[in-house]
Amino acid sequence: MIEPDVLVVGGGPAGMNAALAAANAGATVLLVDRFQNLGGQLVKQTHKFFGWAARGAGARGFELAQKWEGEIQNHPRIRTLLGFEVIGAYKDGIWLAADLEDFYKIKPKRVVIATGASERMITFENNDYPGVYGAGAVQTLMNVYGVLPGERYLIVGSGNVGVIVAYQLLQAQAKVEAIIDILPRLGGAYWVHAAKIQRAGVPILLKRTITGVYGEGHVERAETIGVDEKFQPIPGTERTFSVDVVLLAVGLMPLSELLFELGVREYYIPELGGFVPWHDETGRTSHPEIFVAGDVAGIEEATTAALQGRISGLQTALDLGYEVNKDEIDELKMLLTQFRRSSLSEKVCQGLERLHTKGV
Amino acid sequence: MRRITVHPILNFPPKKKVKFIFEGREVEGYEGEPIAAALVANGFYEMRESVNLHRPRGFFCAIGNCSSCLMVVDGKPNIRTCITPLREGMKVEIQKDKGVLK
Amino acid sequence: MIEVDGVPTFENLKTSMPTEERMRKKAVAMHECYQDIPCDPCVYSCPTKAITMETLVSTPRINHELCNGCGLCVAACPGIAIFLMELKEDRGLITLAYEFVPLPNPGEIVDGLDRYGRAVCEARVERVYSLPGIDKKTKTSLVRISVPPEKIMEVRFFRRRE
């Protein structure tokens, strides 16, 4: 039995920062991630991050991951269990982490769930075919393992994920035929991200959707069609793309299975990506000993995930009686507010407001 | 498919090559990379068959979440090959059913 | 339309464009950042304090008279949305951040691309460099290309010829 003060589930930007904040305040922390290395989805982010120059903006995602990973590995109060997955949480307060050979029982005093999100799927013919990937999966393949799964790519979805992956594919010298989106305008990508791939020759084709992929055992071509204002296909606007990879960048949803298991109060908030746990400003859920931070608390992005992680981590330490400078929590909250003051965070703010008007 | 050798931002230093067996043939990959990444790098895209309709399934999520890449590894079924590191001599097979606990 | 596809129109560009007179004097920075992204590294990269921002989520303002054309902001901008502009007698010089391989060679003739990636003129690679200190670690190269002077507001990227 491992009995840490704080169990952190997930080693991405939120989890790493929760672990560091709690441990720096004096708490003992167990950080579990099912991947072999820390960093979560940061490890494949090769672009420079927005944010405050004074707080590390301009660093690339994988560099941030390396920095935090180093701090965690050298921290005397943080123990990591990598390659292990938290597979269950029980009413008596025991959590279970397992890999194929081994398992650990964990009895923590506080838990921060920072499990992140998974990619959404859309329906079209043969969407289960090899060659159809989640956009994040190809990012991992190429930027973490240096493997390009094909030469010619079609990307579905013009949010930040879609346009950033397009840029990264160009950096790996792959050919991106187009980004398509069913919407009549960008699906959420920042203008500068969309502009930098278009000037490099990747077209963004709006009001267009994918109808199917075809090939012998693997994607060889993708069929698309234009749509009207009601998203209905317009006959005669079909267009075939000769591609061997189709990337789906059609949104993310919180990975909240563990919270479901524990009966933590969740609400369906589309602006936050689906079912999200009710939580207060510090990430505390309806279960007073369980916190959430990062995408599992509502789909947002890495900078805000890291801030949320810091806040939750400090709050767990405060709960357990460690000395925490409350000004630090207030400052982090203020930064989060400042960051979200952008019109780009409007949807997230509306979602959070709706969540907060609901009861615990 | 190919391995990236030059990149403007990232470095891919040479890693230790290992041999493993995929569907009876010897294949090369890098030690510690996910099994599924090594397969894709070698141009093998099918990882399993769907249980009912026996359709080919490949790499999809890369975070051990979607079950599209479940394979039989060293006789054990339901191995999430997108997050399981490759080791020398592994025997990797396309999974065709739900898998049986022995 | 920038709201539709993120690509700035002339109306947007007018708000951040240096005057022709200024571009003839020497190199000057121009940003194409028209959205309230929470981001400020350009402000802190500028040694002459030419770039200002009211809050983190404001768009930057470049005082073209204070700007000395050093290019540090070009390399610092996470959105790759700042360019150096300079007008010579017979050509326009555009310096842009370039994060691709292989790097082009000085003297190379390339296609000048507009904001939609369309080849609109011939361009020549004048200089390929990186700015140590700010950018050695983060690997953004700067490439200066020359284009016909009337294309200076149109060309924003280039493509190497096969």
Side-chain angles (χ1 to χ4, degrees):
Chain A
M1 182 91 78
I2 309 176
E3 300 184 37
D5 286 330
V6 183
L7 166 68
V8 179
V9 186
M16 286 193 293
N17 279 286
L20 282 167
N24 287 341
T28 57
V29 176
L30 178 70
L31 174 57
V32 185
D33 195 286
R34 63 182 168 195
F35 224 57
Q36 301 294 328
N37 50 294
L38 288 170
Q41 307 311 303
L42 278 179
V43 298
K44 61 198 189 189
Q45 304 305 341
T46 55
H47 60 287
K48 294 176 186 168
F49 276 30
F50 298 126
W52 302 265
R55 298 183 67 89
R60 299 178 194 273
F62 71 94
E63 297 167 342
L64 288 172
Q66 285 165 358
K67 176 180 162 261
W68 289 326
E69 183 176 15
E71 286 174 34
I72 286 170
Q73 271 159 0
N74 292 322
H75 206 293
R77 283 184 294 278
I78 304 178
R79 174 173 173 190
T80 56
L81 266 186
L82 300 177
F84 279 79
E85 185 163 19
V86 173
I87 56 167
Y90 301 89
K91 289 254 149 72
D92 57 0
I94 306 278
W95 296 62
L96 211 56
D99 71 357
L100 289 168
E101 313 292 334
D102 221 341
F103 71 90
Y104 291 93
K105 286 198 269 184
I106 305 159
K107 194 167 173 43
K109 297 193 182 87
R110 292 289 181 278
V111 179
V112 179
I113 303 282
T115 42
S118 67
E119 288 182 288
R120 285 182 182 280
M121 191 68 187
I122 50 169
T123 49
F124 53 88
E125 195 170 0
N126 298 325
N127 67 356
D128 61 344
Y129 231 52
V132 177
Y133 294 79
V138 167
Q139 263 189 318
T140 303
L141 269 178
M142 68 176 169
N143 292 344
V144 181
Y145 302 110
V147 174
L148 262 183
E151 284 303 327
R152 297 179 322 281
Y153 294 75
L154 177 69
I155 298 174
V156 182
S158 65
N160 274 329
V161 173
V163 295
I164 287 170
V165 176
Y167 187 73
Q168 295 175 350
L169 281 162
L170 298 180
Q171 291 183 313
Q173 294 176 271
K175 174 93 178 97
V176 184
E177 297 292 338
I179 296 178
I180 64 168
D181 202 306
I182 196 165
L183 297 171
R185 54 172 62 204
L186 283 177
Y190 292 0
W191 296 343
V192 289
H193 282 322
K196 76 184 183 190
I197 58 148
Q198 288 175 95
R199 63 180 179 251
V202 177
I204 297 181
L205 307 174
L206 300 167
K207 297 192 250 183
R208 178 163 290 277
T209 190
I210 185 166
T211 52
V213 295
Y214 307 91
E216 288 295 319
H218 186 268
V219 174
E220 289 168 13
R221 66 187 162 90
E223 299 288 351
T224 70
I225 193 164
V227 300
D228 62 21
E229 313 73 65
K230 290 179 178 147
F231 304 119
Q232 296 308 303
I234 307 170
T237 61
E238 295 84 356
R239 187 166 159 194
T240 304
F241 289 90
S242 169
V243 292
D244 50 1
V245 180
V246 169
L247 297 190
L248 302 182
V250 292
L252 298 166
M253 49 189 174
L255 273 173
S256 56
E257 290 90 339
L258 281 169
L259 298 158
F260 264 122
E261 245 182 274
L262 284 156
V264 162
R265 172 86 69 195
E266 301 205 62
Y267 291 100
Y268 186 76
I269 313 276
E271 294 91 334
L272 298 178
F275 277 99
V276 288
W278 181 92
H279 58 278
D280 70 12
E281 268 189 308
T282 64
R284 194 191 304 270
T285 66
S286 61
H287 188 307
E289 288 161 13
I290 299 176
F291 292 72
V292 288
D295 274 354
V296 71
I299 305 298
E300 208 169 346
E301 49 99 89
T303 305
T304 51
L307 287 171
Q308 290 171 347
R310 289 269 163 190
I311 295 170
S312 303
L314 286 173
Q315 186 60 49
T316 58
L318 192 63
D319 274 16
L320 299 175
Y322 291 100
E323 206 171 303
V324 173
N325 181 354
K326 286 199 187 130
D327 292 347
E328 198 182 336
I329 300 187
D330 288 340
E331 194 202 338
L332 290 163
K333 283 185 191 164
M334 192 269 290
L335 289 170
L336 206 49
T337 311
Q338 207 181 9
F339 196 90
R340 286 174 176 153
R341 212 161 272 153
S342 159
S343 65
L344 298 158
S345 291
E346 212 175 289
K347 228 175 75 174
V348 168
C349 290
Q350 284 165 2
L352 287 171
E353 218 177 290
R354 279 185 57 188
L355 185 70
H356 289 143
T357 57
K358 311 255 183 192
V360 179
Chain B
M1 85 334 244
R2 63 183 157 89
R3 298 237 182 219
I4 300 167
T5 49
V6 285
H7 193 281
I9 311 298
L10 300 165
N11 293 315
F12 296 104
K15 275 178 261 169
K16 192 183 160 201
K17 282 184 182 163
V18 292
K19 290 190 166 52
F20 66 104
I21 309 292
F22 171 63
E23 292 287 309
R25 62 195 124 168
E26 192 176 89
V27 183
E28 216 173 59
Y30 289 136
E31 185 173 62
E33 70 181 347
I35 297 166
L39 289 174
V40 170
N42 281 285
F44 298 116
Y45 300 108
E46 181 180 344
M47 321 246 136
R48 71 174 300 191
E49 278 181 10
S50 66
V51 175
N52 294 320
L53 300 174
H54 300 283
R55 292 167 61 84
R57 291 278 166 83
F59 201 114
F60 181 77
C61 81
I63 58 169
N65 205 59
C66 76
S67 78
S68 187
C69 70
L70 295 185
M71 300 183 82
V72 181
V73 178
D74 292 334
K76 265 189 206 157
N78 296 325
I79 302 298
R80 295 178 294 182
T81 55
C82 72
I83 58 167
T84 305
L86 180 68
R87 304 277 172 242
E88 173 86 42
M90 270 180 164
K91 194 165 162 261
V92 179
E93 295 162 279
I94 294 174
Q95 183 166 325
K96 308 207 169 186
D97 52 23
K98 285 181 178 168
V100 192
L101 270 183
K102 283 174 195 152
Chain C
M1 276 271 284
I2 199 161
E3 292 84 4
V4 173
D5 59 18
V7 176
T9 60
F10 190 68
E11 290 304 306
N12 303 122
L13 298 172
K14 271 198 312 203
T15 65
S16 64
M17 204 185 279
T19 61
E20 189 182 324
E21 192 193 349
R22 175 63 187 85
M23 288 191 285
R24 287 199 185 281
K25 242 191 256 171
K26 65 184 219 175
V28 61
M30 168 179 175
H31 78 75
E32 298 190 9
C33 175
Y34 307 111
Q35 198 173 29
D36 56 343
I37 298 171
C39 182
D40 66 10
C42 59
V43 173
Y44 295 92
S45 74
C46 181
T48 64
K49 298 198 167 27
I51 310 181
T52 51
M53 217 175 251
E54 277 151 41
T55 71
L56 181 75
V57 297
S58 312
T59 53
R61 238 171 231 285
I62 303 183
N63 181 330
H64 295 133
E65 296 316 312
L66 288 179
C67 171
N68 68 358
C70 70
L72 286 167
C73 57
V74 179
C77 172
I80 317 206
I82 308 183
F83 306 84
L84 290 187
M85 305 279 120
E86 186 175 3
L87 272 174
K88 299 279 188 194
E89 207 46 23
D90 56 341
R91 62 203 169 120
L93 295 171
I94 303 162
T95 305
L96 47 87
Y98 193 74
E99 297 186 317
F100 299 96
V101 279
L103 287 170
N105 303 306
E108 193 175 328
I109 302 299
V110 295
D111 292 320
L113 305 182
D114 72 3
R115 291 181 181 79
Y116 286 101
R118 296 174 296 216
V120 289
C121 64
E122 189 175 281
R124 183 173 184 273
V125 176
E126 300 293 341
R127 195 180 165 203
V128 180
Y129 62 115
S130 68
L131 292 172
I134 280 243
D135 220 35
K136 200 147 198 175
K137 197 184 71 158
T138 57
K139 299 176 185 174
T140 304
S141 298
L142 298 189
V143 175
R144 182 170 303 156
I145 57 172
S146 60
V147 298
E150 70 278 10
K151 298 285 185 197
I152 195 164
M153 277 301 146
E154 198 179 342
V155 171
R156 280 300 174 272
F157 204 62
F158 65 90
R159 181 172 54 213
R160 302 185 75 193
R161 293 180 173 173
E162 301 282 308

